[in-house]
Amino acid sequence: MTTMWPFFAVLILLCMSGFFSGSETALTAASRGRMHSLEKDGDPRALRVNKLLSNRESLIGAILLGNNLVNILASSIATAMFLKWFGDAGVPIATAVMTVLVLVFAEVLPKTYAISNSDNMAMAVSRPIMLLVKTLSWIVAIIQFIVSMTLRAFGIRTDEGMVSAEEEIRGAIDLHHSEGGVAAHDRHMLVGALDLKDLTVADLMIHRKNINMIDADLPSRDIVMTALSSQHTRIPLYRGTPDEVIGVLHAKDLLRAVAPMRGDLSKLDIGQIMREPWFVPETLTVQEQLDAFLKKRNHFALVVDEYGALEGLITLEDILEEIVGDIRDEHDIPVQGVRPQPDGSVNIDGVVTIRDVNRALGWNLPDEEAVTVAGLVIHEAQMIPEPGQRFSFHGYRFDILRKSRNQITALRVKKDEEV
């Protein structure tokens, strides 16, 4: 019986090693989001898991210390046992046997199980691991100090290279999308919400060339008829030149003023019903503009550059569409800017934004240097192309179809397999 105690000791130590290995994998792979949710619901096991994960260095240090202790002790006992049985040949035999046992039963098996049941196992082992961390805290602290000093001696700082929460969320969304767990539309919504602080209003605004405006000096009847024929409910009013915006005419305000006049519009005073225009700088982030919309309870703003010149306009709907996609009502006119062709190419109007093209076609054209597709071609070509010219970059082929003055109005774009 006395000759069997080393065998049982090694068996127990291997079980402890498997417990440490599985616990490490389960705790590091546990879903922080689910643990946080369970903790809010009052689950004490999730609370312990979150406390352990809040100090990962101490957690990993304690588990590695315990794991190495039992592995080394098991190997030592096994070596002594095999030396007694086989003499000098016991060392290589013990090495081979312990390598297989540790690898299979103390590493691969428990870690495989932990990966497939990470959340449940993490909560199950949280109590003993918490006790282990508290017991070995002083030893782990000494080890961490030695490691930190050694790394600093080589100019390596342990507080660098941390991934922000936003980058982690974005990475998780892209990963699940690539694996088929998140649909393309859902990915656009989730990533779109994260992108708001990285975009400026200039990226989303409607350019001044595409704004429907009304001359405030027109007769009242002409202004009313023009406003009613528009698909927009808010229309800027200018006097003299389109740069001189003096107000914004709201369709509801107009109808309230016109209704009592019974068709006699001669007494209608547009100046009394128009609203004061709200100007915002083009450098304002979309997130800041969204917050401003909600704070002012206003859904319409005019965008100006650093010199105060009108650049375009932005609405609350434009920002929401960046998150949820195109929002159309019964008065909207479908965007006629992206027209797929039978040969696989796509005819695109020059004013269509790159983000809209990427979202509609699932492409990945870069939008860091330009807002529209035409702007991207001009930026890459470093010139204003002529109709008939062809360019290839970023894995796509661009054929210039039409140009008006210095503006590209139509292109044909196709994925270029040769690029």
Side-chain angles (χ1 to χ4, degrees):
M1 185 66 181
T2 56
T3 59
M4 295 301 294
W5 75 264
F7 175 79
F8 290 112
V10 171
L11 183 62
I12 293 172
L13 291 171
L14 285 176
C15 291
M16 294 177 63
S17 177
F19 170 77
F20 289 133
S21 298
S23 299
E24 177 188 1
T25 300
L27 287 167
T28 54
S31 170
R32 294 295 300 273
R34 188 184 177 204
M35 292 300 111
H36 180 71
S37 177
L38 291 174
E39 180 185 348
K40 290 179 64 178
D41 292 338
D43 193 324
R45 300 177 303 167
L47 174 61
R48 287 194 295 268
V49 172
N50 288 332
K51 285 184 177 180
L52 290 170
L53 294 177
S54 64
N55 191 349
R56 288 178 179 267
E57 291 186 1
S58 297
L59 170 65
I60 299 301
I63 293 179
L64 289 178
L65 178 59
N67 203 3
N68 280 281
L69 281 174
V70 297
N71 282 340
I72 293 172
L73 183 56
S75 298
S76 299
I77 295 174
T79 301
M81 183 173 60
F82 279 97
L83 278 172
K84 185 176 180 180
W85 290 350
F86 303 103
D88 293 340
V91 174
I93 295 175
T95 301
V97 171
M98 288 304 297
T99 298
V100 173
L101 292 177
V102 170
L103 181 63
V104 175
F105 297 103
E107 293 292 335
V108 176
L109 189 150
K111 289 187 175 182
T112 301
Y113 175 80
I115 289 175
S116 59
N117 300 274
S118 57
D119 290 350
N120 293 332
M121 184 172 177
M123 292 188 291
V125 303
S126 60
R127 187 185 295 275
I129 294 298
M130 178 72 76
L131 180 62
L132 175 72
V133 171
K134 291 181 178 180
T135 304
L136 301 180
S137 60
W138 64 278
I139 302 178
V140 173
I142 296 175
I143 295 175
Q144 289 177 347
F145 176 78
I146 296 174
V147 171
S148 179
M149 291 298 100
T150 304
L151 291 175
R152 286 189 179 184
F154 289 94
I156 302 174
R157 297 182 60 87
T158 57
D159 55 351
E160 294 180 350
M162 299 298 290
V163 179
S164 67
E166 180 180 325
E167 291 174 335
E168 186 174 351
I169 294 172
R170 192 186 299 272
I173 294 171
D174 290 337
L175 173 62
H176 289 296
H177 171 65
S178 64
E179 294 177 346
V182 176
H185 181 263
D186 294 335
R187 175 184 176 274
H188 286 311
M189 290 179 60
L190 296 170
V191 175
L194 295 175
D195 286 342
L196 294 185
K197 63 174 65 67
D198 299 325
L199 300 172
T200 64
V201 294
D203 296 323
L204 301 187
M205 71 178 184
I206 299 172
H207 193 268
R208 56 179 294 172
K209 293 183 65 175
N210 300 318
I211 299 177
N212 293 330
M213 307 178 70
I214 301 177
D215 187 352
D217 291 330
L218 291 174
S220 299
R221 176 173 292 277
D222 293 343
I223 293 177
V224 172
M225 298 307 297
T226 303
L228 293 179
S229 63
S230 173
Q231 71 267 27
H232 304 295
T233 59
R234 299 171 179 85
I235 304 175
L237 297 173
Y238 70 91
R239 177 167 286 131
T241 65
D243 282 327
E244 299 296 328
V245 177
I246 61 172
V248 176
L249 185 61
H250 197 296
K252 288 186 178 180
D253 297 333
L254 181 61
L255 291 175
R256 290 192 189 99
V258 168
M261 295 184 176
R262 300 183 181 278
D264 182 10
L265 303 180
S266 59
K267 298 180 180 179
L268 180 64
D269 187 354
I270 297 297
Q272 294 295 323
I273 61 175
M274 70 178 183
R275 301 187 181 187
E276 184 179 353
W278 178 18
F279 297 98
V280 298
E282 62 179 350
T283 55
L284 203 65
T285 68
V286 175
Q287 181 65 60
E288 291 171 335
Q289 184 58 47
L290 175 60
D291 295 338
F293 275 143
L294 299 177
K295 183 178 180 180
K296 291 194 65 171
R297 301 176 66 181
N298 193 342
H299 298 177
F300 185 95
L302 296 166
V303 183
V304 296
D305 63 13
E306 59 182 316
Y307 301 105
L310 181 67
E311 290 293 318
L313 66 82
I314 187 167
T315 67
L316 178 61
E317 182 177 326
D318 296 328
I319 299 178
L320 295 180
E321 286 183 336
E322 182 62 24
I323 302 175
V324 303
D326 193 21
I327 301 174
R328 297 179 183 175
D329 58 30
E330 60 273 19
H331 298 292
D332 280 342
I333 298 176
V335 178
Q336 300 294 326
V338 179
R339 298 174 293 277
Q341 303 299 307
D343 62 352
S345 64
V346 182
N347 287 355
I348 301 175
D349 292 347
V351 296
V352 177
T353 65
I354 298 172
R355 296 180 66 83
D356 287 342
V357 171
N358 287 341
R359 178 168 293 186
L361 303 175
W363 290 357
N364 58 348
L365 291 171
D367 57 358
E368 292 83 8
E369 303 295 338
V371 177
T372 65
V373 178
L376 176 64
V377 173
I378 293 174
H379 171 75
E380 295 293 340
Q382 295 295 302
M383 59 178 289
I384 300 176
E386 297 294 333
Q389 287 188 288
R390 171 177 292 180
F391 302 90
S392 293
F393 40 78
H394 303 301
Y396 297 86
R397 188 181 68 219
F398 299 80
D399 293 301
I400 311 303
L401 300 181
R402 293 190 301 276
K403 188 184 80 167
S404 176
R405 296 183 180 179
N406 293 325
Q407 179 186 7
I408 300 174
T409 57
L411 312 89
R412 179 180 293 112
V413 186
K414 184 177 182 181
K415 283 192 174 183
D416 195 339
E417 302 298 338
E418 299 179 359
V419 176

